[in-house]
Amino acid sequence: MLAIGYCAAVRGIGAYVVRVEVVGIPTTDIGIHIVGLADRSIQESKERVNAAIRSSGFLFPTYKVVVNLAPADVRKEGAAFDVALALTILAMDQQLDAHRLRDVVAIGELALDGSVKPVGGVLPIAISLKQSSHRRLIVPARNLAEAALVDGLTLFPVHTLTQAVDVVLGRGQPGVSSNGKPEHFDARSQHFDEDLEDVKGQERARRAMEVAAAGGHNLLFIGPPGSGKTMLARRMPSIMPAMSCDEALEVTTLYSVSGLLRHSSRLLTERPFRAPHHTVSAIALAGGGSVPRPGEVSLAHHGVLFLDEMAEFSRGALEVLRQPLEDGAVTISRAGRAITYPANFMLLASLNPCPCGYHGDRLRGCSCSPIAIARYLSKISGPLLDRIDMHVDVPRMPYEDMSTRAKAEQSFRVRSRVEAARTLQRVRLGPTGTNAAMPAKSLREHCALDDRARPLLAAAVMKLHLSARAHDRILRVARTIADLAGARTIETAHLAEAIGYRSLDRSRGID
Ligand SMILES: Nc1ncnc2c1ncn2[C@@H]1O[C@H](COP(=O)(O)OP(=O)(O)OP(=O)(O)O)[C@@H](O)[C@H]1O
Ligand SMILES: [Mg+2]
Ligand SMILES: [Zn+2]
């Protein structure tokens, strides 16, 4: 007695089909035995499958049921196998016609009463099926909309194991969902609750945000408490260019494999904005765990990772940012396996200038010793600071600005300038190119300086003790400023503005 069924498993942000082989062995040792590299969560599914089969009105076989999951060399995690396991056991016991299982893949977690619960990773599973020979998928009803983001599959939404059996017997109805289909994708019509028009004054910081959004640059705000750093940062997504359909699918896939889509199942069209608390662990930030999950850096993919009060984060947490900031991806090693998750985000951070917060403030004195200030800033100095293209002072707002009734410029106006600058970058660097991610070898070609600008940069490198990386980052920011101005070449004014966004180098240079 042998029956074969199919389910699917997630690995990284991809997925693959898993073959479920079930044999019955007549012995008194009744129950399910899973062989192969099965994770503890699959061991737990034995109990659920057993109970669900009985409470759905079927019989549990009165002999030993041996289950093999293939390929055996890949570790499989999660509860998504329950439904396929139950169906294949029923087929092996001839309560179901075994050959009917051949052309259908089933995913879903079973509850003890036989109902089917939603699972994570449905989007990558649907994408992977499209590339395989399997075209029919039994999905938990609540995951239908997510699976329907991929066209070309026949989807059977089920609420219960009994309904899944009906599908296999040819009595199920394919489900349709038009929820958020990519064809109807239009991220441009987006509405943001938090708009830059609410922020008074702070012209310099607003301009820096525009430059950062236009070129994809990392940005650090430095200023005293209450100057509006957090308020500004939260409005960054409202001025970033709309996501393309491919970007939206990638972001949605990451949320799907993180189990964060279970209750919405929509295509995510807003750029992510992640603001982890400063107590976040290195693993939660980078990703990992016994069942690997994307971390905050990946949940911020194509969007913003905001580190509010950056100096409060642990050194270990800040350290893990270096690889994704350089590569746009993180690799997690776990039990000899390496999984790579995309992590191409804009780093946005805020910082008080010193422990008390008032160093350099016009009205309030700072009570910190120079040693305390140096220790405070040392945490984010060096390699990490080098990777932040722009540091900008956000001073206390003058009373005139605070009391003005005039509304500031709205985000959508800023965004239209940002979009125009991005278009120039795409023409120059290809469909996904940004100045921040421009390959070093293209710098010479696209960021050439004229005879007046070159000495200015040379002087800044000398005076601010800039590293080669910081030098290149200034050139990239200058390129973006020129793009916002619609200029073909980088002019002295563009370069001077870019150098001005290195305030931390400046304060260190004076020490
Ligand atoms: N430029 C501004 N325009 C309008 N309101 C502002 C501005 N700056 C600050 N505020 C008001 O002050 C509040 C505090 O600002 P915010 O939390 O952004 O300060 P912060 O710089 O992040 O301070 P901290 O360093 O203490 O975190 C805001 O919620 C807002 O009500
Ligand atoms: Mg704040
Ligand atoms: Zn101080």
Side-chain angles (χ1 to χ4, degrees), residues 354-359 366-368 373:
C354 65
C356 87
Y358 292 98
H359 185 70
C366 164
S367 57
C368 309
I373 296 177

Side-chain angles (χ1 to χ4, degrees), residues 150-212:
V150 177
D151 51 18
L153 301 178
T154 309
L155 303 173
F156 297 95
V158 296
H159 293 97
T160 62
L161 177 59
T162 309
Q163 289 177 351
V165 169
D166 282 344
V167 171
V168 176
L169 295 177
R171 296 197 294 245
Q173 283 298 317
V176 283
S177 166
S178 57
N179 188 5
K181 276 265 193 191
E183 297 94 282
H184 311 297
F185 181 78
D186 183 12
R188 264 155 235 276
S189 54
Q190 237 169 63
H191 168 78
F192 292 89
D193 292 335
E194 296 180 299
D195 197 286
L196 269 185
E197 72 174 336
D198 313 326
V199 181
K200 295 172 179 163
Q202 301 298 9
E203 294 305 329
R204 240 180 85 75
R206 295 171 68 107
R207 166 70 179 172
M209 283 175 69
E210 181 171 338
V211 173

Side-chain angles (χ1 to χ4, degrees), residues 459-482:
V461 167
M462 292 280 285
K463 187 156 167 269
L464 305 180
H465 309 295
L466 295 180
S467 69
R469 189 190 278 122
H471 167 276
D472 286 357
R473 292 210 172 223
I474 288 176
L475 279 181
R476 292 168 202 276
V477 173
R479 182 63 261 172
T480 301
I481 293 166

